[in-house]
């Protein structure tokens, strides 16, 4: 049964004719969509990116899924793969993700009241904390603020943080714990979010590495090096991945990005 499950999970990848296939945490989507386009133009290659939760992608890699690079939103999953001999070369840190509470378009003055009052009786979406780092970070935040017991009856769970975004955008959820990197600058959503401080500086560490057995290790390594160029570092910050994990203490009701 396990072998069949693994085959079903990796079947779409086996049909890929791309020069590189990347497995990436969902919160990397806006950044990697931009970086991949630049890399494809520079190298004249084709790159596919499969997005999902960090934990499930790590499990696929351990079961032999044919990925070339892995981008994770939780260092624990990367460490697990490294210890299992699944990685080739060094693990590179891209920065730290930023946890955001996003209100739906139907919310009125969304962050004027306390979060406990705000979310009471509302549908609050969260990525499954068992395998999604932003879900785990959301639970950590709620517990640190002594809000988890009050809010937990309102929580609904999504497969990953990108699905949480979809639920809030569609109105299926009133609020959602999402990644800052998934909110485009200048959009209406950027006016309906609150950046949440995380007391655990190890949470949401964004890393990538080349997978052992990659079909083109040299090309995969060049992509990793491309991610470290100064212009890409600027893109990381633009897309909400900070070089350090800020312990935010700002108490303003609304937060945006410049």
């Amino acid at each position: 049964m396990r072998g069949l499950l693994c085959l079903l999970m990796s079947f779409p990848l086996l049909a890929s004719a791309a020069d590189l296939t990347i497995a990436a945490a969902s919160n990397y989507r806006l950044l990697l969509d931009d970086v991949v386009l630049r890399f494809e133009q520079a190298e004249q290659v084709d790159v596919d990116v499969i997005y999902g939760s960090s934990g499930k992608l790590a499990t696929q890699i351990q079961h032999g899924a044919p990925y070339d690079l892995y981008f994770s939103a939780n260092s624990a999953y990367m460490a697990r793969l490294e210890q299992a001999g699944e990685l080739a070369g060094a693990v590179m840190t891209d920065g730290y993700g930023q946890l955001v509470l996003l209100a739906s378009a139907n919310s009125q003055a969304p962050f004027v009241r306390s979060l406990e009052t705000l979310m009471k009786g509302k549908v609050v979406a969260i990525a499954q904390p068992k395998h999604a780092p932003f879900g785990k970070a959301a639970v950590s935040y709620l517990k640190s603020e002594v809000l988890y017991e009050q809010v937990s009856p309102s929580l609904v769970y999504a497969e990953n943080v990108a699905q949480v975004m979809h639920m809030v955008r569609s109105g299926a959820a009133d609020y959602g714990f999402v990644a800052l990197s998934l909110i485009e600058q200048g959009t209406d959503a950027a006016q309906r979010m609150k950046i949440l401080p995380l007391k655990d500086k190890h949470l949401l560490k964004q890393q990538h590495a080349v997978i052992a057995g990659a079909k083109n290790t040299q090309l995969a390594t060049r992509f990793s090096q491309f991610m470290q160029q100064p212009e890409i570092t600027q893109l990381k910050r633009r897309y909400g991945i900070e070089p350090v994990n800020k312990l935010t203490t700002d108490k303003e009701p609304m937060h945006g990005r410049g």
Side-chain angles (χ1 to χ4, degrees):
M1 180 62 71
R2 176 175 292 183
L4 176 60
L5 176 61
C6 296
L7 178 60
L8 291 175
M9 287 194 300
S10 61
F11 178 77
L13 303 177
L14 297 176
S16 174
D19 298 290
L20 281 181
T21 303
I22 297 172
S26 297
N27 66 287
Y28 268 101
R29 182 181 292 272
L30 292 179
L31 171 62
L32 281 183
D33 283 355
D34 193 334
V35 173
V36 163
L37 181 60
R38 295 167 185 245
F39 186 77
E40 287 179 326
Q41 293 174 344
E43 294 277 344
Q44 294 298 298
V45 295
D46 291 321
V47 179
D48 280 347
V49 186
I50 308 300
Y51 294 104
S53 67
S54 296
K56 288 203 168 183
L57 292 172
T59 298
Q60 290 179 7
I61 290 169
Q62 287 188 294
H63 287 163
Y67 297 122
D68 301 301
L69 294 108
Y70 171 56
F71 284 75
S72 174
N74 187 313
S75 59
Y77 294 120
M78 191 67 77
R80 188 177 82 189
L81 292 180
E82 188 172 32
Q83 291 168 5
E86 298 285 356
L87 305 181
V91 173
M92 308 305 299
T93 297
D94 295 310
Y96 291 85
Q98 306 296 302
L99 181 68
V100 166
L101 182 64
L102 178 67
S104 70
N106 298 325
S107 301
Q108 299 294 323
F111 298 115
V112 173
R113 297 174 292 170
S114 69
L115 294 189
E116 180 180 359
T117 303
L118 191 75
M119 293 186 285
K120 186 177 181 180
K122 302 295 185 180
V123 177
V124 182
I126 182 175
Q128 176 52 253
K130 291 180 180 179
H131 54 248
F134 277 86
K136 183 177 181 180
V139 170
S140 176
Y141 172 79
L142 289 171
K143 288 183 176 180
S144 71
E145 297 295 316
V146 198
L147 290 173
Y148 184 73
E149 295 300 325
Q150 297 94 313
V151 174
S152 58
S154 301
L155 297 179
V156 294
Y157 296 90
E159 186 69 15
N160 53 59
V161 71
Q163 289 186 13
V164 175
M165 282 288 298
H166 176 73
M167 292 175 70
V168 177
R169 285 173 174 166
S170 69
D174 299 297
Y175 297 92
F177 289 93
V178 303
L180 178 62
S181 56
L182 289 177
I183 300 176
E184 297 185 56
Q185 296 182 49
T187 63
D188 178 61
Q191 305 304 313
R192 293 184 277 104
M193 70 179 192
K194 180 180 179 67
I195 299 176
L196 304 174
L198 294 176
K199 294 181 179 179
D200 184 349
K201 66 180 182 180
H202 299 294
L203 288 173
L204 301 182
K205 191 173 187 179
Q206 315 287 289
Q207 297 178 308
H208 74 268
V210 176
I211 303 301
K215 58 180 172 284
N216 190 332
T217 301
Q218 290 185 344
L219 184 61
T221 300
R222 289 205 298 275
F223 189 90
S224 178
Q225 294 169 343
F226 192 78
M227 285 292 299
Q228 300 166 53
Q229 293 185 359
E231 65 184 89
I232 305 302
T233 298
Q234 293 177 3
L235 280 182
K236 292 173 187 175
R237 299 197 71 173
R238 174 183 171 187
Y239 288 118
I241 297 178
E242 296 290 339
V244 295
N245 198 3
K246 296 180 179 179
L247 300 182
T248 309
T249 57
D250 195 341
K251 297 300 181 182
E252 291 298 319
M254 302 299 294
H255 298 261
R257 283 182 289 172

